[in-house]
Amino acid sequence: MPKQKTLKKVLVIGSGPIVIGQAAEFDYAGTQACLALKEEGIEVVLINNNPATVMTDESCADRVYFEPLTVESVEAILQKEQPDGILATLGGQTGLNLALDLHDKGILKRYNAELLGTPIESIKKGEDREEFRALMKELNEPVPESEIVTTSETAIQFANEVGYPIIVRPAYTLGGAGGGIASSEAELKQIIKGGLSLSPISQCLVEKSIAGFKEIEYEVMRDSNDTCITICNMENIDPVGIHTGDSIVVAPSQTLTDVEYQMLRTCSVKIIRALGIVGGCNIQFALDPHSKQYYLIEVNPRVSRSSALASKATGYPIAQMAAKVSIGYDLHELINPVTGHTYASFEPALDYVVVKFPRWPFDKFVHAERKLGTQMKATGEVMAIERNLEAGIQKAVRSLELKTNGLDLPSVTKKSDNELWHLVKNADDRRFFVLLELMRRGFSRQDLHKETGITEFFLQSFERLISFENQIKASNFDDIENESLLTYKKAGFADEWLATVWGVTTKDVRKKRIELNIKPSFKMVDTCAGEFTASTAYFYSSWSGEHDIIPQSGKKKILLLGSGPIRIGQGIEFDYCSVQGIQSLHRLGYEAIMMNNNPETVSTDYATADRLYFEPLTVEDVLNVIDLEQVEGVIVQLGGQTAISLVEGLEEAGVKLYGTNLDTIDQLEDRGRFYSFMNQVDVPHIPGVIAIDEKDALVNASNIGYPVLIRPSYVIGGQGMMLFQSEKEFVSYLEDKENVVSFPLLIDAYYPGIELEVDALTDGESVCIAGMFEHVERAGVHSGDSVAVTPPYTITDRVKELVLSYTEKIAKGMDFKGIFNIQFVLFKEQLYVIEINPRASRTVPILSKISNKSLISYTIQLLLGESLHSLGLTTKTLPEPNFYTVKAPVFSYQKLAGLDPILEAEMKSTGELMSMSDNLDEAFLKAFVWSEQAKPKFFTQKGSIYFDVAEEFLPEFASYQVQLKECGFTLVTEGFDEWVQSDEAIALISLPKLGTKDGTEKRQEALRQRCSVISELTTLDVMLRGLAVKEVDFLAIQDWWLKEKELIK
Amino acid sequence: MKGYVVLENGEVFEGTLHTDHKEVHGEIVFFTGMSGYQEVLSDPSFKGQMVVFTYPLIGNYGINEVDFESMNPQVNALLVSEVSNEGFHYEARSSLLTYCEKHSIPLLSGVDTRAIVKRIREQGDMRAIITTDPTNLSFDQYTPLGQQEVVPMVSSAKIETYGNGDHHIVMVDFGYKRSILDVLLKQGCKVTIVPYHSSFQVIESLQPDGVLYTNGPGNPKQLQGILPTIKEVAKAYPTMGICLGHQLLALAFGADTEKLTFGHRGANQPVIDLATNKVYITSQNHSYVVKENSLEGTDFEAKFININDRSVEGLIHKKYPVLTVQFHPEAHPGPSDSEQLFYTFIEMLRNKGREKVYA
Ligand SMILES: Nc1ncnc2c1ncn2[C@@H]1O[C@H](COP(=O)(O)OP(=O)(O)O)[C@@H](O)[C@H]1O
Ligand SMILES: Nc1ncnc2c1ncn2[C@@H]1O[C@H](COP(=O)(O)OP(=O)(O)O)[C@@H](O)[C@H]1O
Ligand SMILES: [Mg+2]
Ligand SMILES: [Mg+2]
């Protein structure tokens, strides 16, 4: 049945900023959906306040509202836009909850906006625990017995009825803290007591534990003709007990017989039919490894993280088909765009193995609770495709960009056997490397199976990797011949690791490999295991078998390197830049080739680039693609630090890099050279010096004068930065064994002034500043964790001119073309440079959208030799808009226990949001009240605010005390424990002595009780300005552009 | 030891041969299902064929005692990218490797299966020889599968009855898959299996309520001799045909069959019921297909067609209660979405009258 004729305009609800458990996959899904709707001639109105997304681009949506994802704003938009339908099932949990709120409040009916795709009742049956369990009973599909308890007694009574082991899952605790599995009443008593006290609503779910079962997921689709298909199934290597998002996952399942595969498939089809889903759905099973007994764990009645993974694993574009199906198309009518001549009502067949590996933030957050369990903690993930499991695992590990040496993680290899066994039983993010290390020490897969429940099939694969390692360590480079080297490459061992084992250089290994004619072949992901000729341009490398023919267009080719998995400090903004870069290369007549390994993003959608290589971003893998494609050159400016870190290896191999080189990068990242470069171009930099050892450090620190900021060189995200108020503190830090102090150490004077940031385009001669951000929080709070405003709202024109002249001087002095970012600090009327990033930064997407100019397209043209003049960029700065845009960080503290919610030099936010208004205070209000779930109590109710302010800040805080009282808040400074438990508790103002972290427990407890934690006075200031705003208006960015034009005319 | 597969077009692919065969001939076909290798190697429809598994890791869950589709292995050979040397599953009794060695099923691993699939896709099903010495081989001494009488090698020799339900179905056996028998018994039928060449009188003497023509190997046109009996039976009893059975019933009423360039073999083929617009994902394994334009004058009407290549996937007869399907509603391997077609057949038995019972 073709699409419903009545649909002219559809409102799509986005998923908002990235948080752990709801990340880039919804930009991928949202972009596919918007493009599918536009393809049908439907006008797309989008609400999504995540600025760094591709879907919020003009190519995807006709009108984009960067407004809060709240009922008020959606209602206002419904009133203004009068859409015929709303698509909310592609906006993750945020979109789904908003759809439920709009429905329950009768707003959908009032504006007769039809909810497209999966109906509300189905969403409720999938989402609401009770309705889901009732439906499963009706279908007599087994679910583990469970109950919500608020007292220990009811928990124990439940356990006696159902029998141990019991799993306890506290509601709303940080990172699922307080949960655990009890195998006896004694254990249950202890766990439930902790769980109830930790849960802010003192409530826990107790459930029959099926930990240790195989965890299997099915990605299913259904249309309104009741056609049901499963796109693929996935088997978690980590059994039930560790969240699917924190598990290493293989697609398709490896250890299910066909009978079991079909049993769970038939059940999935039965459930999606009973739920009446129209679109995509993810179904999670637990399968007993010793019988055919299975349980339903949960159903996600929407496109999810797993559907993005399934789309990339199979090549089947789920979100695109889900959107088409939601407007009335049937699957058997829709052409499969991958083959071009078969239809979408079929189930992909894979002729390769896919491995997904999660990427956690614990290499940065060393103190956070890294134990894995029922609550997801990974910030991102990588995917790898190969023809055998061993090579797939190796490719995934390479893609993670952890400091591994081949398959071993140095911090793990140092531990004792007992420590390793402890880490195996209490699994954390390092468990894969711990298992391998125990195998290296001779422990058998049977021992490891007993402790972890991991199916021996996967442990045997790990064992094979270890036996290959031993074979390689026993061999030497000179007598390596074709047969054995091919075997090692087929098992996934990188040239670099082989070189370290054989004591030769990577180049030697690569040269020998090419002499022996051992090169990777590249095969197509075609959804049909080669059965039909396919026209996709989606490839992976394998060391076995022949090439698939690579379609050639005869045009010049340029390779663009992506940014790998999402992590703290390097998020979806670099995917936006990569996709924009690919699109502009395409428009300029080049064959644009993309290389990336993040399954959640738009850049790894096979339809984005002319050709996609789903590969690790290491020098060897990039060179393999370059050898195959014979590209003109490689662009490294748009893939964040991942791409930048490949410059050295690529330059050494003689690859042409556009616009930048190793020397320029080293000049900026090596602090010593950076200082001399600043002096050379006569631009003031913060006084700083490099210390080679402890004695040197203490001498230099006192010369510069405390307070000082110290950090290791060559690091991103302010990692390992420490602030010392006095020499006493610095000495005690150096003496504390716990701290890993690596030299050389950078020591800077600490200038807590106003931090400014610019993104500038340059052709090597002149510059054009795309925009300038002024940070609300002073320097010392990482730029990524600060609220920032563009155009700047307090600094004078004198300072702006100074910024411009320094930017010009730097651009002239650097051997660099393209787009770069400079961070300044204005301290005591003096402007200093903090850091220069020779690449696109996280603010580029926002500036592109505000200015309605594609900065990345300019960048690409500059890289290819155009001048600013020829691009019509004749002014030194783009015109400042006549409205304000606020960029605010979003944190995932709920998911990561053990983190101190204080703003500091080390970055902790996982995402960001954007708000707009010509009234700055209104923009601040929208930046804080940014979604229905995340409405801080400070803005919605009166009550009491606790302040824990150090001596030095009391004078400055005095005026705020008055303002807070005027706003109707009462102020409290004693009795924290009962205050934090009371319903009165609104927010904690915690300003510890500079350079100390006093009051961590108070901040963490306040966060647990869902109060805001304010650790900067400037943040409080703008919150008060936002609170004062009475009425709020909601406008699309297109309306702001229009206002802009009217002004200029 | 080192082994080779030599395709009829002369190309040679190297691998490791795990059994001590010198030379094995067969028609080389590929199967795209990602699980179900035990069902495939024991499915009599594969007699005379070498099966290339497109999925690269085969043998992961070993061989168990419950998932066989017939009593012994049927395939001429298996070609895989990687074979697991152990079976990791609670039901596994041995690994696939030791099972093949014990039953001397030629197994060639380490082969570039995707390359072979591309050759078959472009040049059609062809013959191949697995050998330890690829030099001066000749295909002349082997008869192509299309001209071999393979059904006698797999059809049961004597009559056997199973179950004792209220509907008695006679199953004319061309190499039936055990799961067809299972699904009929599960529906409470009594089933009598008769050899493929049983006469009308033999079937009539068993007083069946319905007759089912099963799947089987080879070219349907090798069985011209029994077509008159099939027609006579189909006019007398509610009749169902699966795969080869479907093709024979079509031929019996005068339709024609032809060989696809390469067969449908996998667990994901989409089929649509033209009357209800319902789409089924089906399990398939066939090289031959009923030609749509040959249905004129046979009173057969296409009820199911393949969504991708529009080929005929099932027929209903306008005058007699005859329902045929090219795909495998009994699944194993593959999805059982279309299992309810057996309930439709049993409904037909209940309404003995000649009027058609399904939409
Ligand atoms: N009854 C149980 N026993 C043991 N582990 C469980 C149980 N239920 C869920 N889990 C584990 O917790 C994880 C998260 O549970 P799930 O219901 O999927 O929540 P979410 O909505 O966060 O995905 C699952 O992936 C599974 O590994
Ligand atoms: N000397 C300094 N004085 C005050 N704050 C600083 C100083 N150096 C860095 N910072 C703060 O630390 C943050 C991170 O430092 P930066 O050099 O940008 O490292 P990176 O961005 O690589 O993590 C900056 O955004 C700034 O707020
Ligand atoms: Mg889940
Ligand atoms: Mg920085």
Side-chain angles (χ1 to χ4, degrees), chain A residues 169 207-210 215 240-244 284 298 374:
Chain A
R169 295 173 73 177
E207 196 169 72
K208 175 112 190 60
S209 171
I210 40 175
E215 188 148 29
V240 170
I242 293 183
H243 196 280
T244 51
Q284 252 176 266
E298 79 160 333
T374 56

Side-chain angles (χ1 to χ4, degrees), chain A residues 254 347 387 530 546 548, chain B residues 55 112-114 118 121 268:
Chain A
Q254 300 291 320
E347 298 191 348
R387 291 271 294 175
E546 67 173 28
D548 283 347
Chain B
Y55 185 65
D112 187 351
T113 51
R114 186 175 168 89
K118 288 192 284 179
R121 176 181 81 204
N268 66 348

Side-chain angles (χ1 to χ4, degrees), chain B residues 278-321:
Chain B
K278 185 130 184 38
V279 172
Y280 301 95
I281 298 298
T282 66
S283 161
Q284 298 203 8
N285 170 20
H286 63 103
S287 304
Y288 296 85
V289 75
V290 173
K291 289 167 75 173
E292 170 121 46
N293 51 26
S294 71
L295 295 175
E296 269 305 309
T298 65
D299 282 336
F300 266 126
E301 226 177 51
K303 177 171 172 56
F304 299 97
I305 61 164
N306 188 299
I307 288 176
N308 284 333
D309 61 13
R310 319 311 285 180
S311 59
V312 170
E313 291 282 356
L315 306 167
I316 45 170
H317 200 273
K318 292 197 191 97
K319 279 180 38 213
Y320 304 109

